[in-house]
PDB file of all heavy atoms in Angstrom:
ATOM      1  N   ILE A 306      -2.176   8.303   2.864  1.00  0.00           N
ATOM      2  CA  ILE A 306      -3.455   8.773   3.413  1.00  0.00           C
ATOM      3  C   ILE A 306      -3.312   9.185   4.877  1.00  0.00           C
ATOM      4  O   ILE A 306      -3.885  10.181   5.303  1.00  0.00           O
ATOM      5  CB  ILE A 306      -4.548   7.698   3.214  1.00  0.00           C
ATOM      6  CG1 ILE A 306      -4.839   7.562   1.722  1.00  0.00           C
ATOM      7  CG2 ILE A 306      -5.820   8.054   3.976  1.00  0.00           C
ATOM      8  CD1 ILE A 306      -5.785   6.461   1.355  1.00  0.00           C
ATOM      9  N   GLU A 307      -2.512   8.447   5.639  1.00  0.00           N
ATOM     10  CA  GLU A 307      -2.284   8.815   7.030  1.00  0.00           C
ATOM     11  C   GLU A 307      -1.679  10.217   7.155  1.00  0.00           C
ATOM     12  O   GLU A 307      -1.999  10.956   8.065  1.00  0.00           O
ATOM     13  CB  GLU A 307      -1.353   7.797   7.703  1.00  0.00           C
ATOM     14  CG  GLU A 307      -2.049   6.483   8.030  1.00  0.00           C
ATOM     15  CD  GLU A 307      -3.121   6.653   9.090  1.00  0.00           C
ATOM     16  OE1 GLU A 307      -2.778   6.814  10.267  1.00  0.00           O
ATOM     17  OE2 GLU A 307      -4.315   6.629   8.728  1.00  0.00           O
ATOM     18  N   ARG A 308      -0.814  10.575   6.206  1.00  0.00           N
ATOM     19  CA  ARG A 308      -0.179  11.901   6.260  1.00  0.00           C
ATOM     20  C   ARG A 308      -1.197  13.026   6.150  1.00  0.00           C
ATOM     21  O   ARG A 308      -0.953  14.142   6.605  1.00  0.00           O
ATOM     22  CB  ARG A 308       0.872  12.039   5.148  1.00  0.00           C
ATOM     23  CG  ARG A 308       2.211  11.412   5.488  1.00  0.00           C
ATOM     24  CD  ARG A 308       3.311  11.935   4.580  1.00  0.00           C
ATOM     25  NE  ARG A 308       3.033  11.701   3.171  1.00  0.00           N
ATOM     26  CZ  ARG A 308       3.402  10.592   2.512  1.00  0.00           C
ATOM     27  NH1 ARG A 308       4.083   9.666   3.122  1.00  0.00           N
ATOM     28  NH2 ARG A 308       3.109  10.456   1.239  1.00  0.00           N
ATOM     29  N   THR A 309      -2.364  12.772   5.503  1.00  0.00           N
ATOM     30  CA  THR A 309      -3.376  13.823   5.359  1.00  0.00           C
ATOM     31  C   THR A 309      -4.104  14.086   6.677  1.00  0.00           C
ATOM     32  O   THR A 309      -4.724  15.121   6.847  1.00  0.00           O
ATOM     33  CB  THR A 309      -4.450  13.447   4.312  1.00  0.00           C
ATOM     34  OG1 THR A 309      -5.274  12.394   4.840  1.00  0.00           O
ATOM     35  CG2 THR A 309      -3.846  13.008   3.001  1.00  0.00           C
ATOM     36  N   ARG A 310      -4.068  13.149   7.612  1.00  0.00           N
ATOM     37  CA  ARG A 310      -4.794  13.218   8.892  1.00  0.00           C
ATOM     38  C   ARG A 310      -6.280  13.440   8.720  1.00  0.00           C
ATOM     39  O   ARG A 310      -6.949  14.033   9.565  1.00  0.00           O
ATOM     40  CB  ARG A 310      -4.216  14.359   9.764  1.00  0.00           C
ATOM     41  CG  ARG A 310      -2.764  14.131  10.096  1.00  0.00           C
ATOM     42  CD  ARG A 310      -2.199  15.371  10.782  1.00  0.00           C
ATOM     43  NE  ARG A 310      -0.784  15.207  11.070  1.00  0.00           N
ATOM     44  CZ  ARG A 310      -0.326  14.581  12.159  1.00  0.00           C
ATOM     45  NH1 ARG A 310      -1.148  14.124  13.055  1.00  0.00           N
ATOM     46  NH2 ARG A 310       0.972  14.462  12.345  1.00  0.00           N
ATOM     47  N   GLU A 311      -6.836  13.020   7.599  1.00  0.00           N
ATOM     48  CA  GLU A 311      -8.261  13.211   7.303  1.00  0.00           C
ATOM     49  C   GLU A 311      -9.066  11.943   7.570  1.00  0.00           C
ATOM     50  O   GLU A 311     -10.284  11.968   7.449  1.00  0.00           O
ATOM     51  CB  GLU A 311      -8.450  13.581   5.818  1.00  0.00           C
ATOM     52  CG  GLU A 311      -8.002  14.967   5.424  1.00  0.00           C
ATOM     53  CD  GLU A 311      -9.038  16.032   5.768  1.00  0.00           C
ATOM     54  OE1 GLU A 311     -10.201  15.684   6.026  1.00  0.00           O
ATOM     55  OE2 GLU A 311      -8.659  17.220   5.781  1.00  0.00           O
ATOM     56  N   PHE A 312      -8.396  10.851   7.890  1.00  0.00           N
ATOM     57  CA  PHE A 312      -9.102   9.575   7.961  1.00  0.00           C
ATOM     58  C   PHE A 312      -8.853   8.887   9.298  1.00  0.00           C
ATOM     59  O   PHE A 312      -7.698   8.714   9.693  1.00  0.00           O
ATOM     60  CB  PHE A 312      -8.647   8.684   6.792  1.00  0.00           C
ATOM     61  CG  PHE A 312      -9.389   7.378   6.712  1.00  0.00           C
ATOM     62  CD1 PHE A 312     -10.755   7.352   6.454  1.00  0.00           C
ATOM     63  CD2 PHE A 312      -8.737   6.177   6.898  1.00  0.00           C
ATOM     64  CE1 PHE A 312     -11.454   6.157   6.379  1.00  0.00           C
ATOM     65  CE2 PHE A 312      -9.418   4.962   6.823  1.00  0.00           C
ATOM     66  CZ  PHE A 312     -10.781   4.959   6.571  1.00  0.00           C
ATOM     67  N   ASP A 313      -9.940   8.519   9.979  1.00  0.00           N
ATOM     68  CA  ASP A 313      -9.767   7.892  11.295  1.00  0.00           C
ATOM     69  C   ASP A 313     -10.251   6.440  11.296  1.00  0.00           C
ATOM     70  O   ASP A 313     -10.432   5.844  12.348  1.00  0.00           O
ATOM     71  CB  ASP A 313     -10.510   8.702  12.366  1.00  0.00           C
ATOM     72  CG  ASP A 313     -12.020   8.692  12.139  1.00  0.00           C
ATOM     73  OD1 ASP A 313     -12.467   8.246  11.055  1.00  0.00           O
ATOM     74  OD2 ASP A 313     -12.752   9.138  13.033  1.00  0.00           O
ATOM     75  N   GLY A 314     -10.506   5.886  10.093  1.00  0.00           N
ATOM     76  CA  GLY A 314     -11.003   4.513  10.019  1.00  0.00           C
ATOM     77  C   GLY A 314      -9.856   3.514   9.860  1.00  0.00           C
ATOM     78  O   GLY A 314      -8.715   3.777  10.213  1.00  0.00           O
ATOM     79  N   ARG A 315     -10.205   2.361   9.325  1.00  0.00           N
ATOM     80  CA  ARG A 315      -9.215   1.296   9.111  1.00  0.00           C
ATOM     81  C   ARG A 315      -8.943   1.142   7.612  1.00  0.00           C
ATOM     82  O   ARG A 315      -9.602   1.773   6.791  1.00  0.00           O
ATOM     83  CB  ARG A 315      -9.770  -0.026   9.674  1.00  0.00           C
ATOM     84  CG  ARG A 315     -10.142   0.070  11.163  1.00  0.00           C
ATOM     85  CD  ARG A 315      -9.150  -0.679  12.007  1.00  0.00           C
ATOM     86  NE  ARG A 315      -9.381  -0.448  13.422  1.00  0.00           N
ATOM     87  CZ  ARG A 315      -9.923  -1.350  14.250  1.00  0.00           C
ATOM     88  NH1 ARG A 315     -10.279  -2.528  13.802  1.00  0.00           N
ATOM     89  NH2 ARG A 315     -10.088  -1.061  15.521  1.00  0.00           N
ATOM     90  N   TYR A 316      -8.027   0.253   7.279  1.00  0.00           N
ATOM     91  CA  TYR A 316      -7.632   0.064   5.891  1.00  0.00           C
ATOM     92  C   TYR A 316      -7.778  -1.377   5.456  1.00  0.00           C
ATOM     93  O   TYR A 316      -7.900  -2.294   6.280  1.00  0.00           O
ATOM     94  CB  TYR A 316      -6.169   0.476   5.686  1.00  0.00           C
ATOM     95  CG  TYR A 316      -5.927   1.948   5.881  1.00  0.00           C
ATOM     96  CD1 TYR A 316      -5.562   2.455   7.128  1.00  0.00           C
ATOM     97  CD2 TYR A 316      -6.074   2.835   4.812  1.00  0.00           C
ATOM     98  CE1 TYR A 316      -5.345   3.810   7.311  1.00  0.00           C
ATOM     99  CE2 TYR A 316      -5.854   4.194   4.993  1.00  0.00           C
ATOM    100  CZ  TYR A 316      -5.493   4.675   6.229  1.00  0.00           C
ATOM    101  OH  TYR A 316      -5.284   6.021   6.405  1.00  0.00           O
TER     102      TYR A 316
END
Side-chain angles (χ1 to χ4, degrees):
I306 292 175
E307 285 294 285
R308 278 198 303 270
T309 70
R310 299 172 182 276
E311 288 279 345
F312 185 64
D313 65 349
R315 303 253 172 106
Y316 294 92

